Amino acid sequence: MGVGILASRAIRPASRLLRSQPSNLFLRTIVSKPELQSPEAAAVSQPEPPKNQILPPRNPVGGARVHFTNAEDAIEVFVDGYAVKVPKGFTVLQACEVAGVDIPRFCYHSRLSIAGNCRMCLVEVEKSPKPVASCAMPALPGMKIKTDTPIAKKAREGVMEFLLMNHPLDCPICDQGGECDLQDQSMAFGSDRGRFTEMKRSVVDKNLGPLVKTVMTRCIQCTRCVRFASEVAGVQDLGMLGRGSGEEIGTYVEKLMTSELSGNVIDICPVGALTSKPFAFKARNWELKGTETIDVSDAVGSNIRVDSRGPEVMRIIPRLNEDINEEWISDKTRFSYDGLKRQRLSDPMIRDSDGRFKVVSWRDALAVVGDIIHQVKSDEIVGIAGQLSDAESMMVLKDFVNRMGSDNVWCEGTAVGVDADLRYSYLMNSSISGLENADVFLLVGTQPRVEAAMVNARICKTVRASNAKVAYIGPPADFNYDCKHLGTGPDTLKEIAEGRHPFCSALKNAKNPAIIVGAGLFNRTDKDAILAAVESIAQANNVVRPDWNGLNYLLLYAAQAAALDLGLIQQSAKALESARFVYLMGADDVDVDKIPKDAFVVYQGHHGDKAVYRANVILPASAFTEKEGTYENTEGFTQQTVPAVPTVGDARDDWKIVRALSEVSGVNLPYNSIEGVRSRIKSVAPNLVHTDEREPAAFGPSLKPECKETMSTTPFKPVVENFYMTNAITRASKIMAQCSAVLLKK
Amino acid sequence: MAAPFTLRKIGVPPNSANLTEARRRVFDFFRAACRSIPTIMDIYNLQDVVAPSQLRFAISSQIRNNAHVTDPKVIDLLLFKGMEELTDIVDHAKQRHHIIGQYVVGEGLVQNTGSKDQGKSDFLKNFYTSNYF
């Protein structure tokens, strides 16, 4: 009744309406044009663009640079009338990106293989009967690509409509809201109304572990996670089961994702199907302030963005850095942030006579330490920097200890006899991105999967791309790429060095051989012999050349490279046993039993971890998310952390504490600002001042003297027992505890 | 000669024309404050805590802190604030711990001639205050 009859009257042929004129003023006749009826008709009626139009210059999407491997092989294609030169193997989507046109996509990812199943990237190509999937179609010379025609737009609207049909109305409770590709692309390219009135399908959730939360109903079956797991992470955990609308992503068997790169699947998923379980329901992305900083959980120095809300770190997201970590970070980097909230030292404390700690003010604490340090002899003073220390604090510590007359200041992880004279002997000389050019890898006493997950990802990428051969000497371990286990100890190394091992032929025939030595070997007594053997292998197989240096050393801690550059090395083995004053700057891996019972121990750090229990005075310092510190990664690339959250309680920056202590002790250090410390660092190790630059080692192995020692026969031991608990922050983290309880392979 | 404003009259005091008049007003204020010290000690029971001379010293040191000011209008404003504070105290609008914390020597005011901070550098002073400097 009512409106319906009026409307039907309006559509019916004109005769009845014409009689009753006045009362029809509120009726609106429906007018239509042929252009609005179908996209083909609209395309016909489009006015032709004027020929020889001068188009404004265009930049590639995201400021990307195009690399032409072969200058003659460039093809010219036309994107929306704009001519652009692309290399030969480029797809239509990549050509459009070079031309500055961002084509919507769900399943395509620049670092994964092409799937072509979402169909969102459809564009119109002239002389093609139907729109083509630009992510899969190779760009041919002279192709005319049009991305903003009605056909392309209609295609996108259609795809969007199909995707949203079975997608649950979860936006208010979905963690991806605000940063969801589906939301953004439906606003930009979707139609404003849907026509779906049936029941939506739902899928049972899969349990992938304590890190990845799955709501598989939201999955749009783009298979990005499947391709990531099999290609980048190297584990074949995930797969697509079923067909058609019954497709489900899962592990088929009740298996957890134990890979150390499993957290990256959260970034990759365009919808809220795979999200971060620790971050679930904690915050929306627009409340968070992102700070671009560097990770210190291992020696790789992955670029991260710390998202914080007020004084609390809410989550950690990777940042793009092509040379180091591409777009991925390991699980330890991503999920150990909740350790920053537990067991924090926030006030200076002094141990009372009854053995309990008492909170004091900074004045009193520094006065006590300053008194005691003058009561011990110079060479009984020992300073140990921790694995998370930044270069500034290590410089000030070394200056202070040296001015007190002692030479015993070193960093954790550098045993006696490690000399820092030649930088090539502790850096990754081929650089992490240079590992992609290697074709044979020999891993000596290192397990990159647990020591530096990003280096492992790079090796995995190389193995996958160019079928590189990998062989390792060390304890048997799981690798996510094919590799041969040559042996467990120095005997195998000796065989290779003398040329008796069958692997030597592979090394000799390799164009770019790479040898990766783990820094865990630096702690062995026969270290010199082992490193000499490695260098002889390098020499015999032309590993170190002017154009390619494949002799790499993989450091374990973020502070090690900077410490060795600044000269924090352990001179005498008995230093700790005969110490009367020990200054631990975040050093938790020190063997506390070695410290004599009557020594006065000062612990300066941010977590109440192992060494605090032996300390006499506690000085609270700031963690890496709260200070601006310089870190050098294992390839010699210097980076700086940026403070994202304020310091906890009464804590101060590390270098400021040592500087204040030096003043209270009467030692006058010639700087009192961070610029002063940096100019001091510049005179010692200028590469640490040039941030975001890699300083390769200047000299090769030719300068090293001959080694006379012999190798012992003890096999190489694994350095990292528990991947999830390696430093003070990760040991305090609840998420890491869950992971190590559930995800470690027993 | 303009009458010195008493404790009861908090109207808008007239502006001082020049530095001399402002200076006179300052001394009038100081006299008024010192004359109200016995009342204050009686109200807040400060007989065993502090001597009147210490309170006088506290007031005079606060005035001396601003001794470098030369603009009569600024002096007027500071006096207005001082008068406001004095009126609050005499009206029992504050409490004992406020007076002890703010004006009794040893806790509140005196950091400037303390023995601990004499020879310290700016770095150390800033370090003791906070992490951000």
Side-chain angles (χ1 to χ4, degrees), chain A residues 504-519:
Chain A
C504 298
S505 55
L507 270 178
K508 257 201 203 347
N509 298 333
K511 265 205 319 249
N512 292 335
I515 306 178
I516 304 184
V517 183

Side-chain angles (χ1 to χ4, degrees), chain A residues 70-325:
Chain A
N70 216 342
E72 297 90 37
D73 267 347
I75 314 174
E76 197 181 33
V77 294
F78 298 91
V79 176
D80 292 340
Y82 178 72
V84 62
K85 275 203 170 352
V86 293
K88 191 152 164 244
F90 263 31
T91 53
V92 170
L93 191 144
Q94 288 174 312
C96 293
E97 278 186 350
V98 174
V101 177
D102 201 2
I103 293 184
R105 80 291 294 263
F106 287 111
C107 70
Y108 173 78
H109 194 269
S110 48
R111 292 182 203 278
L112 303 173
S113 57
I114 296 174
N117 55 23
C118 72
R119 313 310 287 176
M120 191 68 185
C121 56
L122 296 175
V123 297
E124 191 183 345
V125 167
E126 215 169 279
K127 298 194 215 64
S128 169
K130 39 188 189 173
V132 312
S134 53
C135 64
M137 174 79 131
L140 305 167
M143 218 182 212
K144 288 196 183 37
I145 303 162
K146 287 184 279 215
T147 60
D148 53 0
T149 55
I151 293 185
K153 290 187 184 164
K154 192 83 180 170
R156 288 172 193 158
E157 285 176 19
V159 171
M160 212 62 238
E161 193 178 346
F162 276 117
L163 283 174
L164 289 171
M165 266 185 215
N166 261 331
H167 197 76
L169 305 176
D170 276 354
C171 285
I173 54 171
C174 177
D175 284 307
Q176 199 94 340
E179 45 185 18
C180 176
D181 280 3
L182 204 64
Q183 277 181 343
D184 299 338
Q185 287 179 25
S186 69
M187 285 300 287
F189 306 106
S191 71
D192 56 344
R193 59 200 75 182
R195 299 174 276 191
F196 187 67
T197 47
E198 281 89 52
M199 293 290 292
K200 297 194 182 216
R201 67 103 175 88
S202 62
V203 179
V204 64
D205 294 342
K206 316 289 184 297
N207 179 20
L208 293 182
L211 299 176
V212 181
K213 174 183 174 195
T214 60
V215 183
M216 297 323 283
T217 318
R218 301 175 191 160
C219 175
I220 54 173
Q221 292 90 25
C222 67
T223 61
R224 269 188 188 177
C225 53
V226 174
R227 284 175 279 144
F228 173 84
S230 69
E231 293 167 26
V232 179
V235 290
Q236 315 277 347
D237 277 346
L238 293 170
M240 179 78 93
L241 307 155
R243 287 199 192 98
S245 65
E247 279 182 324
E248 292 183 17
I249 299 262
T251 49
Y252 190 58
V253 292
E254 301 267 324
K255 195 161 168 267
L256 305 176
M257 273 193 89
T258 50
S259 162
E260 72 279 1
L261 295 178
S262 64
N264 293 298
V265 123
I266 296 167
D267 293 330
I268 276 228
C269 182
V271 296
L274 300 170
T275 49
S276 163
K277 206 180 244 185
F279 183 64
F281 307 127
K282 289 275 162 63
R284 281 297 187 193
N285 76 320
W286 58 80
E287 313 179 288
L288 303 173
K289 178 177 97 156
T291 313
E292 299 188 344
T293 174
I294 306 295
D295 163 60
V296 296
S297 63
D298 56 12
V300 170
S302 325
N303 290 178
I304 53 174
R305 193 185 89 207
V306 172
D307 282 344
S308 60
R309 183 174 61 183
E312 196 185 339
V313 172
M314 302 303 296
R315 69 175 174 182
I316 292 184
I317 298 267
R319 240 191 322 145
L320 173 67
N321 185 324
E322 285 290 350
D323 299 322
I324 302 177
N325 65 317

Side-chain angles (χ1 to χ4, degrees), chain A residues 362-363 366 626 645-647 651-653 655-657 659-660 663-664 672, chain B residues 111 116-117 119-133:
Chain A
W362 273 107
R363 271 199 190 82
L366 290 182
E626 300 151 8
V645 287
T647 47
R652 304 278 188 267
D653 287 345
W655 73 267
K656 287 182 189 162
I657 300 177
R659 168 72 180 74
E663 191 167 331
V664 167
N672 61 358
Chain B
Q111 304 282 7
K116 359 184 207 184
D117 275 345
K120 302 292 191 302
S121 66
D122 281 335
F123 176 85
L124 213 52
K125 285 204 203 88
N126 288 336
F127 178 84
Y128 288 143
T129 333
S130 108
N131 187 30
Y132 297 105
F133 58 87

